[in-house]
Amino acid sequence: MSKRKIAAGNWKMNLSIQEADKLVTTIVKSQRDKSVHTLIGVPFPYLMEFKAKTRYMDKVDVMAQNCHHKASGAHTGEVSASMLASIGIEYVIIGHSERRADNNETNDIIKEKVDLAFANGLKVVFCCGESLKTRKAKKHIAHVKKQVKESLFHLKKADFDNIILAYEPIWAIGTGETASPEQAQEMHREIRDYLKTKIGTKSKNISILYGGSVKPANAKELFSQADIDGGLVGGASLKADSFVPIINSFS
Ligand code: PGA
């Protein structure tokens, strides 16, 4: 994957299939800039339906919101990377802060998920980000680098072709508070520089998305920063009225 403009929506645990169907139809009809790659993070029960619906669309694809860190077995209610691959899913979000918090997902567990995703040919949208407490203590950059190092730096250089990173400060997720373009750009540059120590100049080609209360009103400014290649959008991806303008915000 080379660096692209990416508008990724993360529906989380929202929308009925009927609501979702209307939303996807509108998004597909309204995307102006055909160079933008739109990804939609769909709840597990809808994945096959929306994979089929977007099958012939170049610029729209679906992502799973998670996969388990074990290959298979007695894990009631869980979904494996190989199951996702077997229904044709290409992308999976791994390491979202809500999963880290709700399910005690450590950097090590996330590393296992990343390995299984790659073993099954999936592409990974890897989330990282700090809490407000960590930022206030001025440890945010070290914290994010640690997340990246402990879950990704064991990978081969070639694996990075199949990773999209998403920087999502926890204090900005679902709070209405957004990192300023400068705060976001600073962290994205730090992440890219850090990746360079591992994969060299290839780091230029990695897409790094910003997530945390992205809205139509702030998307343009965020996406115009040098190291911000798009957004991972939660709340505002649930309505066409807000997600479509975000998709069309790239200059
Ligand atoms: P938000 O969520 O846009 O609602 O802040 C972002 C995310 O969690 O991916």
Side-chain angles (χ1 to χ4, degrees):
M1 274 186 306
S2 56
K3 197 166 153 201
R4 296 167 306 179
K5 303 179 201 171
I6 298 173
N10 176 12
W11 291 349
K12 309 186 180 182
M13 197 173 70
N14 292 297
L15 302 176
S16 67
I17 195 151
Q18 292 80 9
E19 292 164 332
D21 192 52
K22 276 196 207 137
L23 177 59
V24 172
T25 304
T26 316
I27 289 170
V28 167
K29 272 202 313 236
S30 323
Q31 178 164 342
R32 257 200 336 257
D33 182 346
K34 300 294 177 215
S35 66
V36 175
H37 193 185
T38 302
L39 291 168
I40 309 164
V42 173
F44 288 136
Y46 312 162
L47 277 170
M48 280 184 85
E49 171 100 9
F50 288 109
K51 184 68 199 172
K53 195 174 165 97
T54 56
R55 176 179 235 113
Y56 299 109
M57 296 172 190
D58 257 7
K59 296 296 167 200
V60 182
D61 212 339
V62 298
M63 325 178 263
Q65 295 177 15
N66 177 43
C67 66
H68 198 258
H69 61 286
K70 297 284 179 220
S72 64
H75 303 288
T76 303
E78 297 291 348
V79 171
S80 69
S82 64
M83 289 173 184
L84 297 176
S86 74
I87 60 165
I89 297 303
E90 283 176 61
Y91 295 88
V92 59
I93 301 175
I94 292 181
H96 193 281
S97 60
E98 286 153 14
R99 291 213 53 95
R100 290 179 190 258
D102 295 353
N103 300 281
N104 302 317
E105 291 184 7
T106 60
N107 291 342
D108 280 343
I109 288 178
I110 290 161
K111 175 183 174 192
E112 290 180 49
K113 291 183 184 222
V114 169
D115 286 344
L116 279 169
F118 284 148
N120 286 282
L122 301 173
K123 298 182 173 84
V124 170
V125 179
F126 174 83
C127 301
C128 53
E130 81 286 356
S131 66
L132 191 56
K133 192 167 160 236
T134 304
R135 179 165 279 264
K136 283 197 166 147
K138 300 203 184 324
K139 294 189 176 138
H140 48 295
I141 292 171
H143 177 85
V144 167
K145 282 186 182 171
K146 188 167 189 278
Q147 290 178 320
V148 170
K149 181 177 182 189
E150 292 185 359
S151 300
L152 300 182
F153 269 23
H154 65 291
L155 295 170
K156 293 192 294 291
K157 214 170 171 179
D159 290 331
F160 284 82
D161 292 343
N162 293 316
I163 291 187
I164 296 167
L165 276 95
Y167 167 58
E168 300 207 300
I170 298 167
W171 48 273
I173 296 179
T175 58
E177 197 177 328
T178 317
S180 68
E182 296 74 26
Q183 284 173 320
Q185 165 57 26
E186 180 194 32
M187 183 64 88
H188 282 231
R189 198 198 49 239
E190 289 286 349
I191 293 171
R192 202 179 299 284
D193 286 350
Y194 192 47
L195 290 171
K196 195 171 173 193
T197 65
K198 168 77 190 165
I199 58 171
T201 50
K202 221 180 176 169
S203 63
K204 282 200 210 120
N205 300 331
I206 303 250
S207 299
I208 309 178
L209 314 182
Y210 167 79
S213 299
V214 175
K215 308 182 259 276
N218 59 28
K220 205 174 180 62
E221 208 185 344
L222 284 162
F223 298 172
S224 64
Q225 302 299 310
D227 290 291
I228 301 185
D229 306 305
L232 179 55
V233 187
S237 73
L238 298 175
K239 291 210 168 89
D241 282 0
S242 41
F243 196 44
V244 169
I246 291 172
I247 298 171
N248 292 329
S249 300
F250 291 87
S251 37

